[in-house]
Amino acid sequence: MSQNNGSPTSLRLKTGLAEMLKGGVIMDVTNAEQAVIAENAGAVSVMALERVPAQIRAEGGVARMASPKKIREIMAAVSIPVMAKCRIGHFAEAQILQELGVDYIDESEVLTPADEAHHVDKHAFKVPFVCGARNLGEALRRIAEGAAMIRTKGEAGTGDVVHAVKHIRQIVQEMKILTVLSEEELYAKAKEHQAPYELVKMVAKTGKLPVPNFSAGGIATPADASLVMQLGAEAVFVGSGIFMNDSKSFADPEEAEKRARAIVKAATHFNDPKVLLEVSEDLVGAMKGLAVSGIDESQMLQTRGW
Amino acid sequence: MKIGVLALQGDFDAHRKRLEELGAEVVLVKKPSQLDEIDGLIIPGGESSTFLKLLGKTGFAELKEFVRLKPTFGTCAGAILLAKEVENPAQTGLGALDIGIRRNAYGRQLESSIREGIFRGTPIEMVFIRAPKIERLGPEVEVLATEGKDPVVVRQGKTMAATFHPELTDDTRVHQSFLDLVQNGKRHK
């Protein structure tokens, strides 16, 4: 393994790339053609997948890292950074993805977890990692393990933004609370959040995570992107919402490109209703989606990870 | 002094912090009309292909006109946008700097690095993230910093560019030299 990957220098390079993605949209793609559509629409990065979360949810089975051949095709097709997912705790998949040269690894609850107790030791890698979180404690545990970017989990593959909102609100509120607490209260909070005291203290000082904080899981429209960004997300991941009509059928490529362009503009002008109206007006439809309130908790992806 | 930071996408907030630290008033520019109120502009790091999509044809034309008239500084993706020729892949540039630049010239993220280079004769820390390389320098282009043999900060008239990210280090010298450029431009008017 390469030297000092958990060093401050290495962490600066890892969060540095996340800094470059701020204000942008990272899009899930399942082939080179979709990757090119995403890049042409202005995506800052693409996530290379075998199946998008809506398909995984509908088809079931074990969801694993995408095939290296497919990821390589996507890497060759675009000039923007390419991310890929590994299963939670599956450090061997992560080693393969690093060897392949992807720009970011998402240790993701969308895939079937490989370890019921441990996440990947992300300090051991030179490639940066993004991890999902539903609350501040989870975010700080992932950062302690070496994650260089956090994204809210939301509920992937649903096109229902409700849990992306819940999770960003939760994290932002928990951070705000820390900023007004005294030293001894912070020790107690660290215990409550099950997170390292040093990280809790850092958040208390700045009111922000020490790494970029993005949003994911159910964002399907320009208005959804605006919503989570107004709530404090610094960029958005859009999974199934661009290329899917429902959990089985893909959207027409032209329609997908329109949706992608609209969400890219919405992420930039997230606080400008005039632009948001303009970009929303151009769209004829959105992913049909699946209401999260109708999903049994045991079927939720967000509860994976600890 | 009012400095704009193009805030379509990218690490514009890191530039904002640095400029405020140096005493400049900062405007985050998302619309062409905001260009009228600023004395100089920074185009940050990010994805240059995304910047172009978000600018659109009219935004690009208005930015090109601004850059012709007022001091502009681009870092990484910003440097790519300011160049005359862009490779890997070929891409439109504003043409304010007579340079040829190659995107992702060091490779992917695993090749990102922090190195020491020389800025105006003294050492400086340089953060390169999926960085471009300046492969051709026009006769009017002055080299302000080098890393190894590569030119990494250049200037032509009132336009400056860095292929690395001075906004991601604690060293304020590169930004200060841009603010000096803006100040001098104002004085000579």
Side-chain angles (χ1 to χ4, degrees), chain A residues 21-25 44 229 264-270, chain B residues 5-12 28-32 34 42-45 47-48 50-56 59-60 63 81:
Chain A
L21 303 176
K22 281 184 177 176
V25 183
V44 289
M229 290 192 69
V264 166
K265 278 194 187 156
T268 294
H269 301 282
F270 68 91
Chain B
V5 182
L6 192 68
L8 297 174
Q9 187 273 313
D11 74 335
F12 50 86
L28 293 181
V29 175
K30 291 195 180 194
K31 291 185 166 174
Q34 292 171 289
I42 289 186
I43 307 177
E47 285 303 319
S48 58
T50 302
F51 292 176
L52 287 172
K53 295 293 180 273
L54 285 162
L55 281 167
F60 185 82
L63 184 59
L81 219 63

Side-chain angles (χ1 to χ4, degrees), chain B residues 96-160:
Chain B
L97 286 169
D98 183 15
I99 56 171
I101 199 163
R102 184 174 186 79
R103 292 180 62 197
N104 301 326
Y106 298 82
R108 309 191 71 96
Q109 172 64 8
L110 288 172
E111 269 63 60
S112 291
S113 64
I114 298 179
R115 301 159 190 237
E116 189 179 273
I118 303 291
F119 175 65
R120 293 185 189 270
T122 47
I124 192 168
E125 185 189 54
M126 299 173 172
V127 179
F128 293 92
I129 294 175
R130 287 175 48 99
K133 254 189 203 182
I134 298 169
E135 295 196 322
R136 185 189 66 78
L137 286 170
E140 308 288 306
V141 179
E142 181 192 356
V143 176
L144 303 183
T146 49
E147 191 283 311
K149 284 182 186 152
D150 299 319
V152 290
V153 181
V154 295
R155 187 183 76 101
Q156 180 177 6
K158 47 177 115 45
T159 311
M160 243 177 94

Side-chain angles (χ1 to χ4, degrees), chain A residues 38-53:
Chain A
E39 183 175 48
N40 283 339
V44 289
S45 173
V46 291
M47 176 77 69
L49 288 168
E50 202 71 45
R51 300 179 287 170
V52 296

Side-chain angles (χ1 to χ4, degrees), chain A residues 25 27 41 220-223 225-226 242 255-269 275-276 278-283, chain B residues 54:
Chain A
V25 183
M27 300 182 193
T221 67
S226 162
I242 290 173
E255 177 61 22
E257 182 157 353
K258 263 190 177 176
R259 288 183 195 172
R261 274 181 205 282
I263 292 185
V264 166
K265 278 194 187 156
T268 294
H269 301 282
V275 178
L276 295 170
E278 248 172 57
V279 303
S280 302
E281 233 158 10
D282 280 346
L283 298 179
Chain B
L54 285 162

Side-chain angles (χ1 to χ4, degrees), chain A residues 157-230:
Chain A
T158 60
D160 186 349
V161 78
V162 65
H163 281 190
V165 167
K166 183 179 171 183
H167 299 156
I168 193 84
R169 276 200 187 273
Q170 174 93 16
I171 292 174
V172 168
Q173 190 197 50
E174 286 172 339
M175 291 195 295
K176 274 189 203 156
I177 291 171
L178 292 186
T179 62
V180 297
L181 296 183
S182 65
E183 194 78 2
E184 66 265 29
E185 288 169 317
L186 290 180
Y187 287 109
K189 274 288 173 192
K191 192 178 157 196
E192 185 187 311
H193 288 312
Q194 298 178 44
Y197 168 71
E198 289 306 323
L199 289 176
V200 168
K201 197 175 169 185
M202 215 184 263
V203 174
K205 210 168 155 189
T206 60
K208 291 184 75 175
L209 291 180
V211 304
N213 187 11
F214 293 5
S215 182
I219 296 156
T221 67
D224 290 349
S226 162
L227 179 63
V228 292
M229 290 192 69
Q230 290 192 56

